[in-house]
Amino acid sequence: MPSGRTHDRITLWALPWIAGLAFWQTRSSNITLLIAGGFLFGGLMFGPDLDIYSRHYQRWGWFRWIWLPYQKSLRHRSFLSHGPIIGTTLRVIYLCCVVGSFTLLMLLIIQKLLNLQWNWQITGESMGRSLIFYATEFMALFLGMELGAMSHSLSDWSGSAYKRFKKKGIAGVLPSGKIKKRKVSSRMTRQTKRSRSRKSVKTAENKKI
Ligand SMILES: [Zn+2]
């Protein structure tokens, strides 16, 4: 697994390529900026390693504690944090829930303190409208974050595959080796269980005799 510094380098080196590709495909400076910004955010702060005490986690500074429940509920390098699409989607939902609950709490406190009448229905409707209106921008930002997270996960996987290759050769990289081993070991355990139960029946019979 590459170190945090290597992950950062990969993100920074890939950034001009991502930005160039985005501009070439979209011809829009706004969308390019959102994809590139999302890529930087995803690669440096909002990446899969938020499931552990990491550079990503430390970069949240004062607010890093918001990721503690996320870390507690996920195993490091699990599919839910490092998997494609699912990792970024879960983190976005998690962050939206945290930020949403705090905003709601703050608004309720302000409402009570200043005795204001807040129309929650209008607030909800305008939020929904802006989500639809800026759908392309949100998608661009999400794509950038996903690419940033994937550059991390891919380098994690290729790093471990390279280590296995150095240790065991090509067999270490191929998944079939593992499956065969698992099949053989499960067959062996089944056989030993059967022979053990036969032995116990025999000894019971001998005792009776
Ligand atoms: Zn990782």
Side-chain angles (χ1 to χ4, degrees):
M1 192 169 72
S3 67
R5 196 192 258 183
T6 315
H7 278 305
D8 287 354
R9 271 195 202 142
I10 292 168
T11 306
L12 295 174
W13 276 102
L15 181 67
W17 295 93
I18 295 289
L21 204 71
F23 190 73
W24 177 48
Q25 285 299 312
T26 61
R27 299 277 156 198
S28 157
S29 48
N30 278 352
I31 299 292
T32 305
L33 204 69
L34 282 167
I35 293 178
F39 181 76
L40 261 187
F41 183 55
L44 299 177
M45 269 181 87
F46 199 61
D49 273 4
L50 277 172
D51 63 2
I52 197 175
Y53 189 91
S54 57
R55 282 189 174 214
H56 289 171
Y57 170 73
Q58 283 169 292
R59 282 188 179 128
W60 282 81
W62 284 79
F63 297 103
R64 59 181 166 189
W65 56 269
I66 65 167
W67 293 102
L68 288 175
Y70 179 82
Q71 286 181 5
K72 290 259 158 63
S73 42
L74 291 182
R75 188 173 46 83
H76 178 47
R77 293 183 84 186
S78 74
F79 183 69
L80 292 177
S81 63
H82 281 61
I85 314 279
I86 183 83
T88 308
T89 310
L90 266 183
R91 279 190 295 280
V92 168
I93 293 171
Y94 180 85
L95 189 64
C96 284
C97 283
V98 172
V99 173
S101 336
F102 273 98
T103 316
L104 202 71
L105 194 74
M106 289 303 286
L107 285 175
L108 280 171
I109 292 169
I110 292 169
Q111 195 183 11
K112 279 270 177 275
L113 283 176
L114 302 175
N115 212 8
L116 285 172
Q117 284 302 310
W118 199 281
N119 196 327
W120 293 102
Q121 201 184 337
I122 291 176
T123 315
E125 278 172 9
S126 63
M127 273 174 74
R129 246 179 280 132
S130 49
L131 264 176
I132 296 165
F133 191 75
Y134 294 109
T136 316
E137 282 78 3
F138 282 122
M139 286 301 287
L141 190 66
F142 182 86
L143 178 70
M145 292 192 294
E146 174 61 15
L147 288 172
M150 273 309 94
S151 78
H152 175 100
S153 296
L154 279 175
S155 48
D156 263 2
W157 290 326
S158 48
S160 341
Y162 178 66
K163 268 184 194 166
R164 281 203 303 273
F165 176 72
K166 264 174 83 181
K167 254 189 192 173
K168 300 174 186 170
I170 196 78
V173 190
L174 291 172
S176 57
K178 270 188 188 174
I179 294 162
K180 269 182 190 170
K181 261 186 192 171
R182 233 179 273 153
K183 273 185 184 171
V184 168
S185 63
S186 64
R187 215 181 292 152
M188 275 173 70
T189 47
R190 249 183 277 143
Q191 279 173 354
T192 46
K193 267 183 191 173
R194 238 180 271 154
S195 64
R196 266 184 207 162
S197 63
R198 257 182 235 151
K199 269 183 192 170
S200 61
V201 168
K202 271 185 186 174
T203 46
E205 279 171 357
N206 286 341
K207 275 180 186 172
K208 274 182 193 171
I209 292 161

